[in-house]
Amino acid sequence: MSFVLRGFDDARRLLSGRDWAYLLCLLVPVALYGLALKALSLTRYAQELGFWEVLELLRSDLLFDAGYAALWVGLFTLFRHGHGRAAALVLLHLTAVLIVVIETCAFQYLETTGTTLDYSVVAYYLSTPGEAAGAVSSETPLYAWAVLSAAILYALAGPVLLLNLFAGRDASPLPEHVPGGRTLTRGRFIAASLGAGAGVFLLRESLLPVAAQGQAGSVSRSPVSNLIATRIEEVRMEAAAAEVEALNRLSDLRLRATPRTRKRHIALIHLES
């Protein structure tokens, strides 16, 4: 019993109460923000589905949020002091902002076009910023900008402001001194590795699509997972296409008129969404 209690006490000491509060104040709102946007999308594309079918469509989002949280718990356990903690903290907020932006853009893109935001679309708009700016300004309502701005501001400064407001003291996750923080013990290393490993595993599982029928299947992946998965699929398709050799090359083929050729007018109609 004493061994179990000692192990529990060691696990509790892996992160300070301030670290746990800081992470929860950032990770929980970011996860709820993404789930709220997904729920709004499902009200349009999965109106006739039951509870378990809707829960299955939320599977990727739940796995992504759990994996993202586990990854950062592991990293905060590993880097408790100094430059490592500072770098981890900056990366935490930058990735949170990126997730919020991707989820908002994916929601608005789905509302506007009825299709999911995949890697090819993002790559195209990044290569043509002028066209992207015109499309965004013409299709994005004012309330979407307000919601996105508020979400970004919270992802940047929300946890510090919230904890300072309710805790009444400095809530920065960069303490001046952490007892034993400079020494990486075997227990902390194992715990950090398990947390990071579990996070990577859950994030990988979130890439798997759900075999759902109809339009609801298009929103089965979380927005970030969908970008990563479509990029992986694109790379695999390009690699497979590079290995294919044409059986009959048509480079020398020529079309010539004959006495029996009937000339016709041809109209080419090109539709662009």
Side-chain angles (χ1 to χ4, degrees):
M1 179 63 69
S2 61
F3 175 78
V4 174
L5 293 177
R6 186 170 62 253
F8 177 77
D9 184 64
D10 292 340
R12 188 177 58 182
R13 293 176 181 273
L14 293 176
L15 286 181
S16 65
R18 179 164 50 182
D19 287 342
W20 281 113
Y22 193 90
L23 285 174
L24 291 176
C25 284
L26 180 60
L27 298 176
V28 172
V30 169
L32 292 178
Y33 179 79
L35 291 174
L37 293 180
K38 174 59 73 69
L40 289 176
S41 298
L42 292 180
T43 58
R44 176 178 177 180
Y45 294 96
Q47 296 179 353
E48 299 180 356
L49 296 181
F51 173 78
W52 294 111
E53 289 80 4
V54 171
L55 187 61
E56 187 178 10
L57 291 176
L58 292 175
R59 169 185 171 276
S60 177
D61 298 82
L62 296 174
L63 287 174
F64 177 83
D65 293 333
Y68 182 69
L71 179 63
W72 282 109
V73 169
L75 290 177
F76 263 50
T77 301
L78 184 62
F79 302 106
R80 298 186 65 188
H81 197 83
H83 298 295
R85 168 55 69 89
L89 182 64
V90 172
L91 188 59
L92 169 66
H93 284 275
L94 290 180
T95 55
V97 170
L98 182 62
I99 289 173
V100 165
V101 171
I102 291 176
E103 290 178 339
T104 307
C105 293
F107 171 78
Q108 189 59 39
Y109 187 81
L110 180 64
E111 290 293 305
T112 304
T113 66
T115 57
T116 55
L117 185 66
D118 57 25
Y119 176 82
S120 61
V121 176
V122 174
Y124 172 75
Y125 279 121
L126 289 179
S127 63
T128 55
E131 184 173 345
V136 170
S137 61
S138 63
E139 297 292 344
T140 306
L142 183 61
Y143 73 85
W145 287 111
V147 171
L148 177 59
S149 300
I152 291 176
L153 288 176
Y154 184 87
L156 289 174
V160 171
L161 297 177
L162 190 63
L163 290 179
N164 283 339
L165 177 63
F166 288 98
R169 58 185 177 83
D170 180 24
S172 171
L174 289 172
E176 295 182 359
H177 176 68
V178 177
R182 294 183 180 275
T183 304
L184 181 60
T185 63
R186 183 176 62 179
R188 278 177 49 207
F189 178 77
I190 294 176
S193 300
L194 290 176
V200 172
F201 173 78
L202 293 173
L203 291 175
R204 188 190 66 176
E205 290 297 307
S206 72
L207 302 179
L208 301 177
V210 175
Q213 297 180 354
Q215 285 184 311
S218 63
V219 294
S220 62
R221 287 196 189 110
S222 73
V224 180
S225 299
N226 191 57
L227 289 182
I228 299 174
T230 51
R231 176 52 180 167
I232 295 175
E233 293 166 359
E234 184 178 288
V235 171
R236 290 176 177 175
M237 291 180 63
E238 291 174 353
E243 297 178 356
V244 176
E245 296 184 0
L247 297 178
N248 297 309
R249 299 187 179 276
L250 305 179
S251 58
D252 298 329
L253 182 65
R254 297 293 184 270
L255 300 179
R256 300 183 183 278
T258 67
R260 295 186 300 175
T261 300
R262 299 177 60 186
K263 296 182 179 181
R264 298 179 181 273
H265 295 290
I266 299 176
L268 299 179
I269 302 175
H270 179 73
L271 301 180
E272 169 123 16
S273 61

